[in-house]
Amino acid sequence: MKKIKGILFDLDNTLIDFMKMKKMACSEAAAAMLGAGLKIKAENLADDLFKYYLNYGIEGDYPFTDFLKEHNAYKDEILAAAINAYNRVKSAFLEPYPGVIPTFIKLIKKGIKLGIVTDAPSLKAHRRIDSMKLHGFFDVVVTEANKPDPKGFLEAVKKLNLEPKEVMMLGDWPEKDIVGAKNAGLITCFAKYGQMENVKEKVEADYVIQRIEEVNQIL
Ligand SMILES: [Mg+2]
C-alpha cells in the first residue's frame, strides 16, 4: 500500500456543499423577487434563476441583474430583495459537509498534512474557508489553480515538502481533480458524494469514497 503523507482537498462540493447552497439561495431569491413585485410566471423562477447562475458562471456577482434586465423587469427594489434573500441563505448555509472536521482531526493526529487546491478566486475561497472555520487545518491553500493544469497540484505538494506520490488529491470533478492530480503524479480519490449529476464517464481514480469519513479507511 502506498504511504500517504499529505492530502489535498478540492473546496466546492468536496468540503462544502456549494451547489446545494446556491440552489437554496436561488429559490429564496426567487420568492423574494416575487414578493417585491416581479411579474414573471412564477412556477419555474427558482430553477430558471439557478440555471442562469450556472450558465453565467457560478462565481458571477451579477446574474440577478442580468436576469431581470433580460426579462425587462429590472427594478432596484426587486434586485435588492433578491440579493438580500440570496445572501441570507448563503451566510447561513456555508458549512462543511458533516464529518469534515472529525475527519480532519483524525488525519492531523496521524501526522497527515492537509491542503486545498481550488479553482475558486482567492478572496472567495478564503472567505468560504473562514466561514466554515476551517482555516487552521491547512498547511497550504492554492487558489485559482486552473485545474486540470498540474501546476497548482505541484505547487501545493512542494509547499507540503512532500513528493507527488506521497500525496492524495480528493475531489468531486473527474476531469479537473482526478485527471489533473493523476497527471501531476499524485494518488487520487474521487469524492462521489459531491458529484452534481450522475457522472457518466468512467472515473479513473485510485479510490472512490461515498462519505468524507472514508478517507481514514484509505490510510
Ligand atoms: Mg469541486
Side-chain angles (χ1 to χ4, degrees):
M1 194 173 144
K2 294 162 187 166
K3 178 74 183 154
I4 295 169
K5 295 183 180 169
I7 301 183
L8 297 174
F9 297 88
D10 166 54
L11 187 55
D12 301 328
N13 293 313
T14 295
L15 298 181
I16 166 183
D17 196 347
F18 192 61
M19 285 299 167
K20 187 174 168 194
M21 179 276 285
K22 290 261 178 192
K23 249 184 208 165
M24 285 169 58
C26 283
S27 144
E28 283 300 305
M33 283 173 162
L34 294 169
L38 177 66
K39 303 270 186 285
I40 283 187
K41 227 176 81 194
E43 296 152 35
N44 302 319
L45 184 57
D47 282 351
D48 290 348
L49 273 184
F50 184 64
K51 277 186 206 137
Y52 209 86
Y53 226 111
L54 287 181
N55 293 336
Y56 184 90
I58 204 74
E59 301 289 356
D61 281 325
Y62 306 104
F64 296 153
T65 314
D66 289 0
F67 179 88
L68 290 169
K69 284 187 175 160
E70 204 168 277
H71 289 80
N72 283 324
Y74 182 86
K75 278 186 185 166
D76 277 346
E77 56 262 47
I78 294 176
L79 180 63
I83 291 173
N84 282 346
Y86 185 91
N87 284 338
R88 261 197 314 275
V89 174
K90 195 173 148 181
S91 54
F93 187 79
L94 208 56
E95 286 178 7
Y97 283 104
V100 166
I101 289 176
T103 300
F104 281 2
I105 290 170
K106 276 189 192 160
L107 292 171
I108 284 170
K109 280 186 183 163
K110 287 179 187 167
I112 306 290
K113 291 179 179 173
L114 308 182
I116 283 189
V117 179
T118 176
D119 283 352
S122 182
L123 187 59
K124 289 190 175 188
H126 283 287
R127 285 188 62 193
R128 285 171 206 153
I129 293 165
D130 179 75
S131 300
M132 296 190 295
K133 300 188 170 48
L134 293 181
H135 50 274
F137 286 106
F138 304 111
D139 294 290
V140 59
V141 175
V142 173
T143 59
E144 296 164 46
N146 195 27
K147 297 178 277 189
D149 190 332
K151 257 201 316 216
F153 300 105
L154 294 174
E155 183 190 334
V157 167
K158 197 174 168 202
K159 286 189 176 152
L160 293 179
N161 271 321
L162 295 172
E163 298 294 321
K165 61 178 190 307
E166 298 173 316
V167 178
M168 181 170 81
M169 174 70 198
L170 175 69
D172 70 294
W173 195 327
E175 307 93 87
K176 283 178 171 276
D177 298 317
I178 304 304
V179 171
K182 185 173 259 194
N183 288 340
L186 279 70
I187 302 159
T188 53
C189 183
F190 178 48
K192 199 167 176 9
Y193 57 84
Q195 71 187 47
M196 247 213 301
E197 310 293 332
N198 35 336
V199 173
K200 289 179 193 78
E201 78 273 29
K202 201 164 179 293
V203 182
E204 302 281 353
D206 297 306
Y207 302 98
V208 176
I209 57 172
Q210 306 284 352
R211 295 187 314 136
I212 191 153
E213 290 93 327
E214 293 170 28
V215 164
N216 273 296
Q217 294 159 18
I218 294 172
L219 304 183

